[in-house]
Amino acid sequence: MGGYSKNMEELFNYIKKFGILNAQDELLIAKGIQEITVQKGDPFIEAGKVSQRIAFVKEGVFRSLYYNKQGDDFTRYFIYEGRFIGDFKVLLISFLPMNILKPLQMPYYL
């Protein structure tokens, strides 16, 4: 591939399970990615806020939770290594309308 880090190569390989990536696609993805570390107990998405980012979980486990009216937290599900975390739908809605410069065709899955 294009001389990317091991983490980036793993991300590309994961994405390629679902479709084709060419060199230009890989470059666009690589330019938009920043590696971060989230410490245990720190939120990736804060309660009550809309997610403005997504991430590929390289290592570790995230817990998706919600709070009831009394402030008690309940686990919804876990996000494990090798999966994405974040809200793709919100991300697409917030970015696509500003970036479409020509007619766009994309698959739609129910």
Side-chain angles (χ1 to χ4, degrees):
M1 291 193 198
Y4 296 107
S5 71
K6 182 180 179 200
N7 290 341
M8 191 66 65
E9 296 284 354
E10 288 180 21
L11 175 60
F12 293 155
N13 289 334
Y14 178 81
I15 294 170
K16 287 177 183 178
K17 291 178 184 179
F18 307 100
I20 298 170
L21 285 180
N22 61 36
Q24 183 180 4
D25 296 332
E26 290 177 358
L27 183 61
L28 286 171
I29 292 169
K31 283 183 178 181
I33 289 187
Q34 173 186 4
E35 281 192 47
I36 63 168
T37 299
V38 180
Q39 299 299 321
K40 181 177 179 178
D42 289 349
F44 179 74
I45 301 168
E46 292 185 39
K49 295 195 176 180
V50 176
S51 172
Q52 294 296 317
R53 58 188 181 163
I54 59 171
F56 184 73
V57 181
K58 168 67 177 137
E59 187 176 307
V61 178
F62 284 85
R63 178 174 76 124
S64 176
L65 57 104
Y66 67 94
Y67 295 96
N68 65 12
K69 291 180 182 179
Q70 292 76 32
D72 301 318
D73 65 79
F74 296 90
T75 300
R76 293 177 60 209
Y77 52 86
F78 293 95
I79 301 100
Y80 297 96
E81 296 172 359
R83 302 280 188 249
F84 281 96
I85 182 173
D87 190 340
F88 287 99
K89 183 178 171 185
V90 170
L91 201 62
L92 286 174
I93 290 170
S94 66
F95 288 113
L96 279 179
M98 296 185 302
N99 292 334
I100 297 175
L101 302 176
K102 63 180 184 177
L104 175 66
Q105 291 184 346
M106 55 189 275
Y108 181 76
Y109 301 99
L110 298 176

